[in-house]
């Protein structure tokens, strides 16, 4: 009868010294993570009017927390209802820095809604609710069928594309440096938008198409009329190809 044999694995169980070394390694790794990979600095760029500390507080990023806990999506959500600044990027720079890039919104016009004055940027995004109409050169948007607003979002209208039409005028005016010339922008009729200059001239814009060209024609006509001493009347730039002046 053949003798039976029992074979054992060549691996040896870790003795007490191996367990201790493993525990020491885990503790050391934890110490490094907890002391090295923590948020020590939050750098902010792109802001001028809004302070760094205000932006850091808005982000919800707390110095001293593990840098692994920085949640870009959560930071983005924190800025969704903020009107004065928009978050453009969140960058984690190892081992201890977070960089926040923001873009400050600039008032381009005021919208009246239920007796309140709402400051919006050139895209129609709500910046803030004003206690009173600001003194200075902000156009007042009239004829907008506003249904609601929320800081950080476009003002809402019951008329489709009405906000987009407003934004096309405000954006073109901003890019050409004409905002201060405009006292009123009326968007009640999307096919017959018009604005009033601070000097008292009505400018018929037609629809929202080719707005850059229309405002260039407006500026050219205003320059010529001002040189001639004319400050009132109507300029029609609806074609986008010329400017037709009618005296009052």
């Amino acid at each position: 009868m053949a003798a039976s044999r029992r074979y054992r694995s060549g691996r040896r169980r870790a003795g007490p010294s191996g367990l201790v070394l493993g525990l020491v390694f885990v503790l050391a790794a934890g110490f490094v993570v907890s002391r090295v990979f923590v948020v020590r600095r939050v750098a902010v760029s792109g802001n001028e009017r809004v302070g760094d500390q205000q932006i850091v507080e808005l982000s919800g990023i707390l110095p001293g927390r593990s840098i692994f806990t920085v949640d870009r999506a959560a930071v983005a959500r924190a800025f969704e209802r903020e009107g004065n600044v928009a978050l453009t990027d969140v960058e984690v720079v190892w081992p201890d820095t977070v960089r926040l890039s923001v873009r400050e919104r600039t008032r381009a016009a005021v919208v009246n809604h239920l007796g309140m004055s709402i400051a919006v940027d050139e895209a129609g995004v709500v910046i803030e609710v004003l206690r009173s109409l600001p003194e200075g050169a902000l156009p007042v948007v009239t004829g907008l069928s506003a249904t609601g607003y929320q800081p950080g979002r476009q003002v809402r209208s019951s008329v489709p594309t009405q906000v987009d039409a407003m934004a096309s005028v405000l954006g073109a005016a901003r890019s050409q440096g004409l905002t201060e010339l405009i006292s009123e922008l009326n968007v009640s009729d999307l096919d017959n938008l018009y604005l009033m200059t601070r000097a008292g001239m009505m400018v018929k814009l037609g629809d929202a198409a080719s707005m850059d060209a229309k405002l260039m024609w407006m500026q050219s006509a205003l320059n010529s009329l001002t040189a001639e001493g004319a400050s009132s009347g109507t300029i029609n730039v609806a074609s986008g190809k010329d400017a037709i002046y009618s005296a009052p």
Side-chain angles (χ1 to χ4, degrees):
M1 183 175 181
S4 62
R5 297 182 181 181
R6 178 177 295 175
Y7 294 93
R8 298 181 180 273
S9 170
R11 295 175 58 186
R12 298 172 60 184
R13 294 184 179 179
S17 60
L19 292 174
V20 170
L21 288 175
L23 180 59
V24 169
F25 177 80
V26 170
L27 291 175
F31 178 83
V32 170
V33 170
S34 65
R35 294 302 181 94
V36 177
F37 294 101
V38 297
V39 179
R40 300 187 188 281
R41 179 171 177 261
V42 182
V44 181
S45 62
N47 59 314
E48 293 182 3
R49 302 184 307 274
V50 182
D52 289 4
Q53 187 58 35
Q54 183 178 342
I55 293 173
V56 172
E57 291 176 358
L58 180 63
S59 73
I61 299 174
L62 299 175
R65 293 286 185 88
S66 170
I67 202 166
F68 295 103
T69 65
V70 175
D71 186 339
R72 291 177 173 83
V75 176
R77 287 194 297 271
F79 281 83
E80 286 181 351
R81 294 177 179 270
E82 172 57 38
N84 287 292
V85 292
L87 181 71
T88 58
D89 189 35
V90 181
E91 181 184 6
V92 175
V93 182
W94 304 100
D96 59 5
T97 299
V98 179
R99 291 177 180 168
L100 301 176
S101 298
V102 300
R103 173 179 58 82
E104 291 182 331
R105 296 189 177 97
T106 303
R107 295 176 183 177
V110 173
V111 174
N112 291 321
H113 176 60
L114 300 178
M116 292 179 291
S117 299
I118 304 168
V120 299
D121 70 0
E122 65 272 16
V125 175
V126 176
I127 296 177
E128 59 186 326
V129 178
L130 306 174
R131 294 182 179 180
S132 60
L133 284 175
E135 296 182 0
L138 277 183
V140 176
V141 178
T142 58
L144 183 70
S145 300
T147 59
Y149 65 91
Q150 175 182 310
R153 302 281 182 86
Q154 270 192 331
V155 64
R156 297 189 296 276
S157 170
S158 60
V159 179
T161 73
Q162 192 177 43
V163 175
D164 293 335
M166 175 187 73
S168 71
V169 180
L170 295 178
R174 172 73 68 181
S175 66
Q176 297 183 39
L178 302 176
T179 301
E180 294 184 358
L181 296 178
I182 303 170
S183 62
E184 178 190 354
L185 167 63
N186 186 281
V187 296
S188 58
D189 184 346
L190 294 178
D191 292 322
N192 295 285
L193 306 172
Y194 71 85
L195 59 81
M196 298 295 300
T197 70
R198 296 195 177 277
M201 193 79 69
M202 172 183 279
V203 182
K204 294 183 178 181
L205 302 171
D207 60 21
S210 305
M211 194 54 62
D212 285 319
K214 291 175 180 179
L215 293 192
M216 289 178 65
W217 280 109
M218 178 193 78
Q219 179 65 70
S220 177
L222 285 173
N223 290 340
S224 297
L225 290 168
T226 299
E228 297 170 7
S231 60
S232 60
T234 302
I235 300 174
N236 192 327
V237 295
S239 69
K241 298 178 181 179
D242 58 16
I244 301 173
Y245 171 67
S246 300

Short mmCIF file of all heavy atoms in Angstrom, two decimals, residues 157-215:
data_model
loop_
_atom_site.label_atom_id
_atom_site.label_comp_id
_atom_site.label_asym_id
_atom_site.label_seq_id
_atom_site.Cartn_x
_atom_site.Cartn_y
_atom_site.Cartn_z
N SER A 157 -39.37 85.09 -20.39
CA SER A 157 -40.42 85.83 -21.07
C SER A 157 -41.46 84.86 -21.61
O SER A 157 -41.13 83.72 -21.99
CB SER A 157 -39.84 86.66 -22.22
OG SER A 157 -40.87 87.20 -23.03
N SER A 158 -42.70 85.31 -21.67
CA SER A 158 -43.77 84.48 -22.22
C SER A 158 -43.75 84.48 -23.75
O SER A 158 -44.46 83.69 -24.38
CB SER A 158 -45.13 84.97 -21.72
OG SER A 158 -45.35 86.32 -22.12
N VAL A 159 -42.97 85.37 -24.34
CA VAL A 159 -42.88 85.47 -25.80
C VAL A 159 -41.60 84.78 -26.27
O VAL A 159 -40.50 85.21 -25.92
CB VAL A 159 -42.88 86.94 -26.26
CG1 VAL A 159 -42.76 87.02 -27.79
CG2 VAL A 159 -44.13 87.65 -25.78
N PRO A 160 -41.71 83.71 -27.05
CA PRO A 160 -40.51 83.00 -27.53
C PRO A 160 -39.56 83.94 -28.28
O PRO A 160 -40.00 84.79 -29.06
CB PRO A 160 -41.08 81.92 -28.46
CG PRO A 160 -42.49 81.72 -27.98
CD PRO A 160 -42.96 83.08 -27.53
N THR A 161 -38.29 83.77 -28.05
CA THR A 161 -37.18 84.50 -28.69
C THR A 161 -37.13 85.98 -28.32
O THR A 161 -36.25 86.70 -28.81
CB THR A 161 -37.20 84.37 -30.23
OG1 THR A 161 -38.26 85.16 -30.78
CG2 THR A 161 -37.35 82.92 -30.67
N GLN A 162 -38.03 86.46 -27.46
CA GLN A 162 -37.99 87.89 -27.10
C GLN A 162 -36.72 88.24 -26.34
O GLN A 162 -36.11 89.28 -26.58
CB GLN A 162 -39.23 88.25 -26.28
CG GLN A 162 -39.42 89.76 -26.13
CD GLN A 162 -40.69 90.10 -25.37
OE1 GLN A 162 -41.02 89.47 -24.37
NE2 GLN A 162 -41.41 91.11 -25.86
N VAL A 163 -36.32 87.36 -25.42
CA VAL A 163 -35.09 87.61 -24.67
C VAL A 163 -33.88 87.55 -25.59
O VAL A 163 -32.94 88.33 -25.46
CB VAL A 163 -34.95 86.61 -23.50
CG1 VAL A 163 -33.61 86.79 -22.80
CG2 VAL A 163 -36.09 86.80 -22.50
N ASP A 164 -33.91 86.63 -26.56
CA ASP A 164 -32.81 86.53 -27.52
C ASP A 164 -32.71 87.81 -28.36
O ASP A 164 -31.60 88.27 -28.67
CB ASP A 164 -33.01 85.32 -28.43
CG ASP A 164 -32.89 84.00 -27.68
OD1 ASP A 164 -32.21 83.98 -26.63
OD2 ASP A 164 -33.49 83.01 -28.13
N ALA A 165 -33.85 88.37 -28.73
CA ALA A 165 -33.84 89.61 -29.51
C ALA A 165 -33.25 90.74 -28.68
O ALA A 165 -32.44 91.54 -29.18
CB ALA A 165 -35.26 89.95 -29.95
N MET A 166 -33.65 90.82 -27.42
CA MET A 166 -33.08 91.83 -26.52
C MET A 166 -31.57 91.66 -26.42
O MET A 166 -30.81 92.63 -26.50
CB MET A 166 -33.71 91.69 -25.13
CG MET A 166 -33.11 92.61 -24.08
SD MET A 166 -33.74 92.27 -22.41
CE MET A 166 -32.89 90.71 -22.05
N ALA A 167 -31.13 90.41 -26.26
CA ALA A 167 -29.71 90.13 -26.11
C ALA A 167 -28.93 90.48 -27.37
O ALA A 167 -27.77 90.92 -27.29
CB ALA A 167 -29.49 88.66 -25.75
N SER A 168 -29.54 90.30 -28.54
CA SER A 168 -28.82 90.63 -29.78
C SER A 168 -28.53 92.12 -29.85
O SER A 168 -27.45 92.53 -30.30
CB SER A 168 -29.62 90.18 -31.00
OG SER A 168 -30.77 90.98 -31.18
N VAL A 169 -29.47 92.95 -29.40
CA VAL A 169 -29.25 94.39 -29.42
C VAL A 169 -28.23 94.80 -28.36
O VAL A 169 -27.29 95.55 -28.62
CB VAL A 169 -30.57 95.15 -29.20
CG1 VAL A 169 -30.32 96.66 -29.23
CG2 VAL A 169 -31.60 94.76 -30.25
N LEU A 170 -28.43 94.28 -27.14
CA LEU A 170 -27.52 94.65 -26.05
C LEU A 170 -26.09 94.19 -26.32
O LEU A 170 -25.13 94.90 -26.03
CB LEU A 170 -28.02 94.05 -24.73
CG LEU A 170 -29.37 94.56 -24.21
CD1 LEU A 170 -29.75 93.84 -22.92
CD2 LEU A 170 -29.34 96.07 -24.00
N GLY A 171 -25.96 92.99 -26.89
CA GLY A 171 -24.63 92.47 -27.19
C GLY A 171 -23.92 93.29 -28.25
O GLY A 171 -22.73 93.59 -28.14
N ALA A 172 -24.65 93.66 -29.30
CA ALA A 172 -24.05 94.47 -30.36
C ALA A 172 -23.70 95.86 -29.83
O ALA A 172 -22.64 96.41 -30.17
CB ALA A 172 -25.02 94.57 -31.54
N ALA A 173 -24.57 96.42 -29.00
CA ALA A 173 -24.29 97.74 -28.43
C ALA A 173 -23.06 97.70 -27.54
O ALA A 173 -22.22 98.61 -27.56
CB ALA A 173 -25.50 98.24 -27.66
N ARG A 174 -22.95 96.64 -26.76
CA ARG A 174 -21.80 96.50 -25.86
C ARG A 174 -20.51 96.37 -26.66
O ARG A 174 -19.50 97.03 -26.36
CB ARG A 174 -21.98 95.28 -24.97
CG ARG A 174 -20.78 94.91 -24.12
CD ARG A 174 -20.58 95.87 -22.98
NE ARG A 174 -21.64 95.77 -21.99
CZ ARG A 174 -21.71 96.51 -20.89
NH1 ARG A 174 -20.79 97.42 -20.65
NH2 ARG A 174 -22.70 96.37 -20.04
N SER A 175 -20.50 95.53 -27.68
CA SER A 175 -19.28 95.30 -28.45
C SER A 175 -18.83 96.53 -29.21
O SER A 175 -17.64 96.72 -29.47
CB SER A 175 -19.48 94.13 -29.42
OG SER A 175 -20.45 94.45 -30.41
N GLN A 176 -19.77 97.42 -29.56
CA GLN A 176 -19.42 98.62 -30.31
C GLN A 176 -19.32 99.86 -29.42
O GLN A 176 -19.11 100.97 -29.92
CB GLN A 176 -20.45 98.86 -31.42
CG GLN A 176 -20.49 97.74 -32.46
CD GLN A 176 -21.47 98.02 -33.58
OE1 GLN A 176 -21.59 99.16 -34.05
NE2 GLN A 176 -22.16 96.99 -34.03
N GLY A 177 -19.46 99.66 -28.11
CA GLY A 177 -19.32 100.78 -27.19
C GLY A 177 -20.44 101.80 -27.27
O GLY A 177 -20.21 102.99 -27.04
N LEU A 178 -21.64 101.33 -27.58
CA LEU A 178 -22.77 102.24 -27.77
C LEU A 178 -23.78 102.22 -26.63
O LEU A 178 -24.78 102.94 -26.70
CB LEU A 178 -23.49 101.90 -29.09
CG LEU A 178 -22.65 101.93 -30.36
CD1 LEU A 178 -23.47 101.47 -31.55
CD2 LEU A 178 -22.10 103.33 -30.58
N THR A 179 -23.54 101.42 -25.62
CA THR A 179 -24.53 101.26 -24.55
C THR A 179 -24.92 102.60 -23.92
O THR A 179 -26.10 102.86 -23.65
CB THR A 179 -23.98 100.31 -23.47
OG1 THR A 179 -23.68 99.04 -24.07
CG2 THR A 179 -25.01 100.11 -22.36
N GLU A 180 -23.96 103.45 -23.70
CA GLU A 180 -24.23 104.71 -23.02
C GLU A 180 -25.06 105.67 -23.87
O GLU A 180 -25.61 106.64 -23.34
CB GLU A 180 -22.91 105.38 -22.62
CG GLU A 180 -22.13 104.60 -21.57
CD GLU A 180 -20.89 105.33 -21.11
OE1 GLU A 180 -20.64 106.43 -21.66
OE2 GLU A 180 -20.18 104.83 -20.23
N LEU A 181 -25.18 105.41 -25.17
CA LEU A 181 -25.98 106.28 -26.03
C LEU A 181 -27.47 105.95 -25.94
O LEU A 181 -28.31 106.76 -26.34
CB LEU A 181 -25.54 106.15 -27.49
CG LEU A 181 -24.12 106.60 -27.85
CD1 LEU A 181 -23.86 106.35 -29.33
CD2 LEU A 181 -23.94 108.08 -27.53
N ILE A 182 -27.80 104.76 -25.42
CA ILE A 182 -29.18 104.26 -25.48
C ILE A 182 -29.89 104.52 -24.16
O ILE A 182 -29.39 104.15 -23.10
CB ILE A 182 -29.19 102.75 -25.80
CG1 ILE A 182 -28.45 102.49 -27.11
CG2 ILE A 182 -30.63 102.23 -25.87
CD1 ILE A 182 -28.21 101.02 -27.39
N SER A 183 -31.06 105.12 -24.23
CA SER A 183 -31.85 105.33 -23.01
C SER A 183 -32.95 104.27 -22.88
O SER A 183 -33.31 103.89 -21.77
CB SER A 183 -32.49 106.72 -23.01
OG SER A 183 -33.39 106.87 -24.11
N GLU A 184 -33.46 103.79 -24.01
CA GLU A 184 -34.55 102.81 -23.98
C GLU A 184 -34.42 101.84 -25.14
O GLU A 184 -34.05 102.23 -26.26
CB GLU A 184 -35.91 103.50 -24.04
CG GLU A 184 -37.09 102.54 -24.08
CD GLU A 184 -38.42 103.24 -24.39
OE1 GLU A 184 -38.43 104.48 -24.47
OE2 GLU A 184 -39.43 102.53 -24.58
N LEU A 185 -34.74 100.58 -24.88
CA LEU A 185 -34.84 99.57 -25.93
C LEU A 185 -36.21 98.92 -25.80
O LEU A 185 -36.54 98.37 -24.75
CB LEU A 185 -33.75 98.51 -25.78
CG LEU A 185 -33.93 97.23 -26.62
CD1 LEU A 185 -33.90 97.55 -28.11
CD2 LEU A 185 -32.86 96.20 -26.26
N ASN A 186 -37.01 98.99 -26.85
CA ASN A 186 -38.35 98.41 -26.83
C ASN A 186 -38.37 97.14 -27.66
O ASN A 186 -37.99 97.15 -28.83
CB ASN A 186 -39.38 99.40 -27.36
CG ASN A 186 -40.80 98.88 -27.21
OD1 ASN A 186 -41.24 98.05 -28.00
ND2 ASN A 186 -41.50 99.37 -26.20
N VAL A 187 -38.83 96.04 -27.04
CA VAL A 187 -38.85 94.73 -27.71
C VAL A 187 -40.25 94.15 -27.76
O VAL A 187 -40.42 92.93 -27.90
CB VAL A 187 -37.89 93.74 -27.01
CG1 VAL A 187 -36.44 94.19 -27.12
CG2 VAL A 187 -38.27 93.55 -25.54
N SER A 188 -41.27 95.01 -27.68
CA SER A 188 -42.65 94.50 -27.65
C SER A 188 -43.04 93.83 -28.97
O SER A 188 -43.78 92.85 -28.98
CB SER A 188 -43.63 95.64 -27.34
OG SER A 188 -43.50 96.68 -28.30
N ASP A 189 -42.53 94.33 -30.10
CA ASP A 189 -42.81 93.77 -31.42
C ASP A 189 -41.50 93.26 -32.00
O ASP A 189 -40.61 94.05 -32.34
CB ASP A 189 -43.43 94.84 -32.32
CG ASP A 189 -43.84 94.31 -33.69
OD1 ASP A 189 -43.43 93.18 -34.05
OD2 ASP A 189 -44.58 95.02 -34.39
N LEU A 190 -41.36 91.95 -32.13
CA LEU A 190 -40.09 91.38 -32.57
C LEU A 190 -39.72 91.73 -34.00
O LEU A 190 -38.56 91.60 -34.39
CB LEU A 190 -40.13 89.85 -32.40
CG LEU A 190 -40.22 89.36 -30.96
CD1 LEU A 190 -40.30 87.84 -30.92
CD2 LEU A 190 -39.04 89.85 -30.14
N ASP A 191 -40.68 92.17 -34.79
CA ASP A 191 -40.39 92.57 -36.16
C ASP A 191 -40.12 94.07 -36.26
O ASP A 191 -39.70 94.56 -37.32
CB ASP A 191 -41.57 92.22 -37.08
CG ASP A 191 -41.71 90.72 -37.25
OD1 ASP A 191 -40.67 90.03 -37.32
OD2 ASP A 191 -42.86 90.23 -37.29
N ASN A 192 -40.37 94.78 -35.17
CA ASN A 192 -40.20 96.23 -35.18
C ASN A 192 -39.56 96.70 -33.88
O ASN A 192 -40.12 97.52 -33.15
CB ASN A 192 -41.55 96.93 -35.39
CG ASN A 192 -42.15 96.63 -36.74
OD1 ASN A 192 -41.70 97.16 -37.77
ND2 ASN A 192 -43.16 95.77 -36.77
N LEU A 193 -38.38 96.19 -33.60
CA LEU A 193 -37.63 96.65 -32.44
C LEU A 193 -37.21 98.09 -32.66
O LEU A 193 -36.95 98.50 -33.79
CB LEU A 193 -36.37 95.78 -32.25
CG LEU A 193 -36.55 94.26 -32.16
CD1 LEU A 193 -35.18 93.58 -32.18
CD2 LEU A 193 -37.33 93.86 -30.94
N TYR A 194 -37.14 98.84 -31.57
CA TYR A 194 -36.62 100.20 -31.72
C TYR A 194 -35.94 100.62 -30.43
O TYR A 194 -36.16 100.05 -29.36
CB TYR A 194 -37.73 101.19 -32.10
CG TYR A 194 -38.72 101.52 -31.01
CD1 TYR A 194 -38.46 102.51 -30.06
CD2 TYR A 194 -39.94 100.85 -30.94
CE1 TYR A 194 -39.37 102.82 -29.06
CE2 TYR A 194 -40.87 101.16 -29.95
CZ TYR A 194 -40.58 102.15 -29.01
OH TYR A 194 -41.49 102.46 -28.03
N LEU A 195 -35.12 101.64 -30.54
CA LEU A 195 -34.47 102.19 -29.36
C LEU A 195 -34.52 103.71 -29.42
O LEU A 195 -34.75 104.31 -30.47
CB LEU A 195 -33.02 101.70 -29.23
CG LEU A 195 -32.02 101.97 -30.36
CD1 LEU A 195 -31.46 103.39 -30.26
CD2 LEU A 195 -30.89 100.96 -30.33
N MET A 196 -34.35 104.31 -28.25
CA MET A 196 -34.28 105.76 -28.13
C MET A 196 -32.90 106.12 -27.63
O MET A 196 -32.38 105.51 -26.70
CB MET A 196 -35.34 106.27 -27.16
CG MET A 196 -36.77 106.00 -27.56
SD MET A 196 -37.27 106.87 -29.07
CE MET A 196 -37.02 108.59 -28.59
N THR A 197 -32.30 107.12 -28.27
CA THR A 197 -31.00 107.59 -27.80
C THR A 197 -31.22 108.61 -26.69
O THR A 197 -32.32 109.16 -26.53
CB THR A 197 -30.20 108.24 -28.93
OG1 THR A 197 -30.81 109.49 -29.29
CG2 THR A 197 -30.11 107.32 -30.14
N ARG A 198 -30.19 108.86 -25.94
CA ARG A 198 -30.30 109.83 -24.84
C ARG A 198 -30.49 111.25 -25.36
O ARG A 198 -31.00 112.12 -24.64
CB ARG A 198 -29.06 109.75 -23.94
CG ARG A 198 -28.96 108.39 -23.26
CD ARG A 198 -28.01 108.33 -22.12
NE ARG A 198 -28.06 107.01 -21.53
CZ ARG A 198 -28.96 106.61 -20.64
NH1 ARG A 198 -29.87 107.47 -20.21
NH2 ARG A 198 -28.96 105.38 -20.18
N ALA A 199 -30.13 111.46 -26.61
CA ALA A 199 -30.33 112.78 -27.21
C ALA A 199 -31.76 112.96 -27.71
O ALA A 199 -32.15 114.07 -28.07
CB ALA A 199 -29.35 112.98 -28.35
N GLY A 200 -32.54 111.87 -27.76
CA GLY A 200 -33.94 111.98 -28.19
C GLY A 200 -34.23 111.46 -29.57
O GLY A 200 -35.32 111.67 -30.11
N MET A 201 -33.30 110.75 -30.17
CA MET A 201 -33.49 110.20 -31.51
C MET A 201 -34.09 108.80 -31.41
O MET A 201 -33.63 107.97 -30.61
CB MET A 201 -32.15 110.13 -32.25
CG MET A 201 -32.27 109.88 -33.74
SD MET A 201 -32.71 111.35 -34.69
CE MET A 201 -31.22 112.34 -34.54
N MET A 202 -35.13 108.53 -32.24
CA MET A 202 -35.66 107.17 -32.34
C MET A 202 -34.92 106.42 -33.44
O MET A 202 -34.67 106.97 -34.52
CB MET A 202 -37.15 107.17 -32.65
CG MET A 202 -37.71 105.78 -32.94
SD MET A 202 -39.46 105.76 -33.40
CE MET A 202 -40.21 105.84 -31.79
N VAL A 203 -34.56 105.17 -33.15
CA VAL A 203 -33.87 104.35 -34.14
C VAL A 203 -34.68 103.08 -34.36
O VAL A 203 -34.86 102.27 -33.44
CB VAL A 203 -32.43 103.98 -33.69
CG1 VAL A 203 -31.74 103.16 -34.77
CG2 VAL A 203 -31.63 105.24 -33.38
N LYS A 204 -35.19 102.91 -35.57
CA LYS A 204 -35.96 101.72 -35.92
C LYS A 204 -35.01 100.62 -36.38
O LYS A 204 -34.25 100.79 -37.34
CB LYS A 204 -36.96 102.05 -37.02
CG LYS A 204 -38.04 103.04 -36.57
CD LYS A 204 -39.06 103.27 -37.68
CE LYS A 204 -40.17 104.21 -37.22
NZ LYS A 204 -41.19 104.44 -38.27
N LEU A 205 -35.09 99.48 -35.68
CA LEU A 205 -34.14 98.39 -35.93
C LEU A 205 -34.72 97.25 -36.75
O LEU A 205 -33.98 96.40 -37.25
CB LEU A 205 -33.65 97.81 -34.59
CG LEU A 205 -32.97 98.80 -33.63
CD1 LEU A 205 -32.75 98.14 -32.28
CD2 LEU A 205 -31.65 99.28 -34.21
N GLY A 206 -36.04 97.17 -36.88
CA GLY A 206 -36.64 96.02 -37.55
C GLY A 206 -36.53 94.79 -36.67
O GLY A 206 -36.69 94.87 -35.45
N ASP A 207 -36.21 93.63 -37.25
CA ASP A 207 -36.07 92.42 -36.45
C ASP A 207 -34.65 92.32 -35.90
O ASP A 207 -33.84 93.25 -36.03
CB ASP A 207 -36.45 91.18 -37.26
CG ASP A 207 -35.57 90.99 -38.50
OD1 ASP A 207 -34.45 91.55 -38.54
OD2 ASP A 207 -36.00 90.28 -39.44
N ALA A 208 -34.34 91.18 -35.28
CA ALA A 208 -33.06 91.05 -34.58
C ALA A 208 -31.91 90.65 -35.50
O ALA A 208 -30.77 90.51 -35.03
CB ALA A 208 -33.20 90.03 -33.45
N ALA A 209 -32.16 90.47 -36.77
CA ALA A 209 -31.10 90.03 -37.69
C ALA A 209 -30.13 91.17 -37.99
O ALA A 209 -30.48 92.35 -37.96
CB ALA A 209 -31.72 89.52 -38.99
N SER A 210 -28.87 90.78 -38.27
CA SER A 210 -27.82 91.73 -38.70
C SER A 210 -27.67 92.93 -37.78
O SER A 210 -27.49 94.06 -38.23
CB SER A 210 -28.11 92.22 -40.13
OG SER A 210 -28.27 91.15 -41.03
N MET A 211 -27.75 92.68 -36.47
CA MET A 211 -27.78 93.80 -35.52
C MET A 211 -26.46 94.56 -35.49
O MET A 211 -26.45 95.78 -35.31
CB MET A 211 -28.13 93.29 -34.13
CG MET A 211 -28.51 94.38 -33.15
SD MET A 211 -29.86 95.46 -33.77
CE MET A 211 -31.21 94.29 -33.95
N ASP A 212 -25.34 93.87 -35.65
CA ASP A 212 -24.06 94.58 -35.67
C ASP A 212 -24.02 95.61 -36.80
O ASP A 212 -23.60 96.76 -36.59
CB ASP A 212 -22.90 93.59 -35.83
CG ASP A 212 -22.61 92.82 -34.56
OD1 ASP A 212 -22.65 93.44 -33.49
OD2 ASP A 212 -22.35 91.61 -34.64
N ALA A 213 -24.47 95.20 -37.99
CA ALA A 213 -24.47 96.12 -39.14
C ALA A 213 -25.44 97.27 -38.91
O ALA A 213 -25.14 98.43 -39.22
CB ALA A 213 -24.84 95.36 -40.41
N LYS A 214 -26.60 96.98 -38.32
CA LYS A 214 -27.60 98.02 -38.09
C LYS A 214 -27.08 99.09 -37.14
O LYS A 214 -27.28 100.29 -37.36
CB LYS A 214 -28.88 97.39 -37.55
CG LYS A 214 -29.62 96.54 -38.57
CD LYS A 214 -30.82 95.84 -37.97
CE LYS A 214 -31.53 94.98 -39.01
NZ LYS A 214 -32.71 94.27 -38.46
N LEU A 215 -26.41 98.66 -36.08
CA LEU A 215 -25.90 99.64 -35.13
C LEU A 215 -24.72 100.41 -35.69
O LEU A 215 -24.49 101.57 -35.31
CB LEU A 215 -25.53 98.96 -33.81
CG LEU A 215 -26.71 98.37 -33.01
CD1 LEU A 215 -26.26 97.99 -31.59
CD2 LEU A 215 -27.89 99.32 -32.94
#
